[in-house]
Amino acid sequence: MTKTKSQELNLKSTRDGFGEAMLEVATTNPEVMALCADLTESMRLEKFAQTYPERFVQVGIAEQNMVGVAAGLAIVGKLPFAASFAVFSPGRTWEQIRDSICYSNLPVIIVGGHTGLNVGEDGYTQQGLEDLALMRVLPNMIVIAPGDFAETKKAVHALVALKKPAYLRLTREKLPEFTKNTNFEIGKANIIKEGTDLTIIGNGPILTEVITAQQNLQNNFSVEIINLHTIKPIDTETIINSLQKTKAFITIEEHQIIGGVYSAVIEALAQDKEGSKLIGLPHLALGLKDTFGESGAMRELWQKHNLDNTAIEQTIKQVIEWKHA
Amino acid sequence: MSAQLTPNDIHRLTEITKNVRSNIIKMLYHAGSGHSAGSLSWAEIMVFIYFYLAKHQPQNPQWPDRDYVLLSSGHHCPALYAVLAEAGYFPIEELVQLRKLGSRLQGHPQRQLVPGVEISAGSLAQGISQAVGLAIGLKADHKPNHVFCLMSDGEFQEGQTWEALLLANKYHLGNLSIIVDVNKIQISGHTDQVMPMHPFFEKIADFGWNAIKTNGHNFIELNKAFTQDLSNDNPSVILCQTIAGKGVSFMENNPEWHGKAPNKEETIKALTEINES
């Protein structure tokens, strides 16, 4: 059997990180449980279900009930992770999350898989592209979008320690890791690369394209990259400090621009005296422009929606040109 | 819990129910809005659960050995608040704060605000899923606590309810009882016309549950139904036939009173009827 490219490079996805981390946290935290709505293998919960059958609840294809059951488990002291594809949960389950979890402030982790255009060939109905907006708007909700395998594992451990309502955004595609040596603290953005000409703020595996773009341009431009793994609560201080330095920025997300990273950044700036002065800086938002996803290879979709490294490089040049105009 | 209610038990429960009904009317009058008919139809059932059946400690609401009583139909919270106050969870004088700014007695209940309130509610069918979660968690830990989930018949029009019925059957949740107030009205009119559920009893039984019918205004009948329920290892639904607006003649069986509060004149008339019953 020939190995695929990702096997050769030993690439792993964020969902792989989730599955591995769940096995780790389960050993030391007996209250951790997992729920799934028939997508056990896709959400990488098969080993958890086999290892801890009494701590795994297979609810069948019934996401709304899954969220309520998770809330009930939390009331009796459990720490449930309720997993499905993001389009179904939090897509279909938004109101259950709103009332049963957030309003009651119950420690339930909603895990949404198959987010972003990297879902690829399955097409729009399987591509979670609105989940950050749906979860960000709810009071009490913590929203995390890890960038790679290692960061997902760190996020799961941090969420188990925190015990609060949270949303964890996962992806399917196996991509290179870039957070192996970084600290992870919920609510504290990581500066992946320091720079002085322009700041790029984003989260998730699309940051691999940002890193490629930055490297391709590094002889000409000094680009700062902020990994906004926690989109809520947002790290306003890190963003403001960076923008005051670079005076130009780009946001990037595998999500609708409406309600996602761009919205979160601007909303944060607008609620801060110093931040509000930065809204007028030259900037552009990369992401889905109020449109649907579709079938295609990941890279084709990234190209079409200006999210690949070539489009990012052009955008960097454009915004820096505006800054100097 | 004894198998049979004594005349003293019945007298005591009846007197408490009168207080609860009076307080429901007073609360709704002071609030100026709220759900009268459904709150009144719950009175005997809730009094029976809180003053006879369930293990709980009003002075220690988080008692780990308590039975969990979840009100899923959150709009009926005037009945729950009145019963909790009567039981001593918080002062009866506080009831008139219902729906006022800054009050912990929200128009639909929030679990962290009110001692004795186990779940936040107001969006129909969310309670049964939480009840199933509680029952799964308690069963996994081999705990003897029982879970009672109080639902309106209208909640069975939500798909989520049937998802939860399937799961409770799968997990053989003998520690779970769903109590349904079958008062046959909903906000748009009579349930039979808005969304016919017939044959309601058979539908639920077909989902693998014990389905039990009883009279939701009769303590002896309630006791029989609950005794039967708790001696069985499967999850149970107890369908309580009730009269919407029970105890106040001009509210009874009238969908107009689903989501309306009495004015001063109606309040006086209602309180007189309840006291003279």
Side-chain angles (χ1 to χ4, degrees):
Chain A
M1 200 176 87
T2 53
K3 282 187 173 178
T4 63
K5 194 183 168 197
S6 64
Q7 281 171 327
E8 276 172 21
L9 296 170
N10 194 27
L11 296 177
K12 292 177 226 167
S13 65
T14 64
R15 67 173 175 173
D16 294 331
F18 169 66
E20 195 169 297
M22 285 298 283
L23 291 170
E24 291 170 1
V25 295
T27 58
T28 45
N29 300 274
E31 73 278 21
V32 168
M33 292 186 71
L35 299 88
C36 200
D38 197 33
L39 294 167
T40 317
E41 193 275 332
S42 294
M43 296 306 296
R44 296 294 187 262
L45 284 169
E46 272 190 333
K47 279 187 187 161
F48 185 98
Q50 285 159 10
T51 314
Y52 304 102
E54 75 291 354
R55 289 159 67 182
F56 177 75
V57 183
Q58 172 58 267
V59 302
I61 309 166
E63 296 81 9
Q64 298 170 57
N65 185 48
M66 173 175 73
V67 168
V69 170
L73 288 167
I75 290 172
V76 289
K78 305 296 182 185
L79 181 57
F81 285 70
S84 184
F85 289 176
V87 286
F88 312 132
S89 181
R92 183 184 288 234
T93 60
W94 182 79
E95 197 219 11
Q96 282 77 16
I97 296 169
R98 176 187 189 268
D99 289 357
S100 295
I101 294 172
C102 291
Y103 189 41
S104 289
N105 202 20
L106 290 169
V108 174
I109 318 302
I110 301 296
V111 185
H114 278 46
T115 66
L117 292 169
N118 72 77
V119 172
E121 291 79 357
D122 280 339
Y124 175 67
T125 62
Q126 311 301 296
Q127 296 164 345
L129 298 169
E130 301 85 7
D131 52 315
L132 293 177
L134 291 173
M135 293 294 92
R136 237 167 40 75
V137 76
L138 294 175
N140 275 345
M141 199 60 160
I142 289 160
V143 182
I144 297 178
D148 61 15
F149 176 85
E151 193 166 58
T152 309
K153 289 186 66 175
K154 289 181 254 192
V156 170
H157 282 272
L159 287 167
V160 168
L162 190 68
K163 294 183 174 49
K164 286 187 176 172
Y167 173 60
L168 182 67
R169 178 180 222 231
L170 298 181
T171 49
R172 182 174 68 181
E173 192 68 17
K174 294 173 188 290
L175 290 163
E177 289 178 82
F178 54 90
T179 75
K180 272 185 180 171
N181 302 313
T182 60
N183 289 327
F184 182 89
E185 186 186 331
I186 291 172
K188 180 71 188 150
N190 287 348
I191 298 176
I192 295 176
K193 174 78 178 63
E194 292 194 3
T196 53
D197 291 333
L198 174 140
T199 303
I200 299 188
I201 307 165
N203 58 28
I206 199 68
L207 287 175
T208 56
E209 290 298 296
V210 174
I211 291 165
T212 304
Q214 176 267 326
Q215 286 168 349
N216 289 345
L217 294 178
Q218 63 187 341
N219 292 332
N220 303 311
F221 301 106
S222 169
V223 173
E224 179 147 306
I225 305 172
I226 296 179
N227 174 6
L228 195 68
H229 52 71
T230 308
I231 191 167
K232 188 186 170 192
I234 194 164
D235 184 355
T236 309
E237 189 185 351
T238 296
I239 295 169
I240 288 177
N241 288 342
S242 178
L243 299 193
Q244 283 176 337
K245 177 176 64 175
T246 63
K247 297 194 165 47
F249 65 100
I250 295 169
T251 61
I252 187 162
E253 54 204 302
E254 275 199 273
H255 185 275
Q256 303 289 352
I257 290 172
I258 298 173
V261 173
Y262 178 72
S263 300
V265 168
I266 296 297
E267 288 161 17
L269 295 177
Q271 295 174 72
D272 183 280
K273 187 185 170 193
E274 294 307 313
S276 66
K277 297 173 188 166
L278 304 168
I279 294 174
L281 291 176
H283 69 270
L284 269 178
L286 297 176
L288 265 82
K289 297 178 191 301
D290 197 18
T291 187
F292 300 105
E294 64 190 292
S295 290
M298 172 187 79
R299 192 146 287 284
E300 293 173 330
L301 291 168
W302 283 359
Q303 279 168 1
K304 178 168 178 175
H305 293 273
N306 290 328
L307 294 168
D308 69 320
N309 65 289
T310 308
I312 296 167
E313 286 165 36
Q314 285 166 357
T315 309
I316 290 169
K317 290 176 192 167
Q318 175 74 76
V319 175
I320 291 177
E321 192 184 313
W322 291 346
K323 174 176 149 180
H324 294 304
Chain B
M1 189 183 66
S2 61
Q4 271 197 318
L5 289 172
T6 65
N8 273 348
D9 289 329
I10 294 169
H11 178 74
R12 180 177 68 94
L13 296 173
T14 305
E15 289 306 303
I16 295 168
T17 305
K18 269 192 197 181
N19 292 345
V20 165
R21 280 215 165 84
S22 296
N23 282 328
I24 289 170
I25 295 294
K26 287 178 198 167
M27 294 166 79
L28 288 163
Y29 166 66
H30 282 282
S33 66
H35 297 80
S36 300
S39 297
L40 289 169
S41 57
W42 274 111
E44 281 87 0
I45 303 167
M46 284 196 195
V47 167
F48 178 74
I49 291 173
Y50 278 95
F51 288 86
Y52 189 76
L53 185 70
K55 283 182 283 182
H56 67 117
Q57 294 182 346
Q59 303 311 319
N60 183 15
Q62 297 301 311
W63 182 40
D65 295 335
R66 71 190 183 279
D67 292 330
Y68 289 85
V69 184
L70 280 59
L71 176 66
S72 183
S73 56
H75 58 295
H76 296 143
C77 63
L80 179 64
Y81 293 155
V83 169
L84 290 175
E86 199 72 33
Y89 280 88
F90 56 88
I92 287 177
E93 299 73 50
E94 194 176 330
L95 289 174
V96 292
Q97 296 301 315
L98 174 71
R99 291 178 168 243
K100 306 284 190 212
L101 183 66
S103 168
R104 52 183 180 171
L105 304 183
Q106 291 290 296
H108 292 76
Q110 203 276 355
R111 69 183 297 270
Q112 292 173 300
L113 291 177
V114 191
V117 169
E118 299 283 7
I119 58 166
S120 307
S123 175
L124 299 180
Q126 292 199 24
I128 183 172
S129 295
Q130 292 177 74
V132 170
L134 278 158
I136 290 174
L138 292 166
K139 188 176 174 180
D141 291 343
H142 309 289
K143 290 189 175 161
N145 318 52
H146 200 84
V147 180
F148 298 99
C149 182
L150 280 49
M151 300 178 70
S152 66
D153 48 355
E155 291 189 79
F156 285 76
Q157 294 166 20
E158 290 278 8
Q160 186 179 349
T161 296
W162 301 92
E163 294 179 1
L165 291 177
L166 285 172
L167 191 68
N169 180 49
K170 174 183 171 182
Y171 279 84
H172 308 294
L173 300 177
N175 55 350
L176 172 64
S177 303
I178 305 293
I179 324 301
V180 187
D181 172 30
V182 187
N183 69 22
K184 299 173 286 291
I185 64 160
Q186 57 192 106
I187 198 164
S188 300
H190 290 277
T191 300
D192 278 349
Q193 283 149 25
V194 178
M195 181 47 68
M197 299 299 290
H198 183 77
F200 194 33
F201 182 88
E202 287 79 1
K203 281 191 174 94
I204 294 168
D206 280 349
F207 272 62
W209 285 58
N210 300 316
I212 300 158
K213 273 187 208 170
T214 192
N215 177 344
H217 298 306
N218 183 303
F219 292 117
I220 294 170
E221 296 300 316
L222 282 168
N223 191 41
K224 269 188 208 162
F226 278 91
T227 308
Q228 184 184 340
D229 164 43
L230 297 177
S231 65
N232 189 304
D233 281 342
N234 292 322
S236 299
V237 169
I238 302 176
L239 299 175
C240 299
Q241 303 296 327
T242 63
I243 294 165
K246 171 74 175 175
V248 179
S249 59
F250 57 92
M251 292 184 182
E252 288 191 358
N253 287 321
N254 185 351
E256 220 177 86
W257 284 96
H258 168 92
K260 195 170 106 169
N263 62 26
K264 193 172 182 180
E265 192 186 330
E266 290 159 342
T267 298
I268 293 165
K269 202 175 161 205
L271 291 176
T272 307
E273 283 188 24
I274 292 164
N275 288 334
E276 288 172 358
S277 65

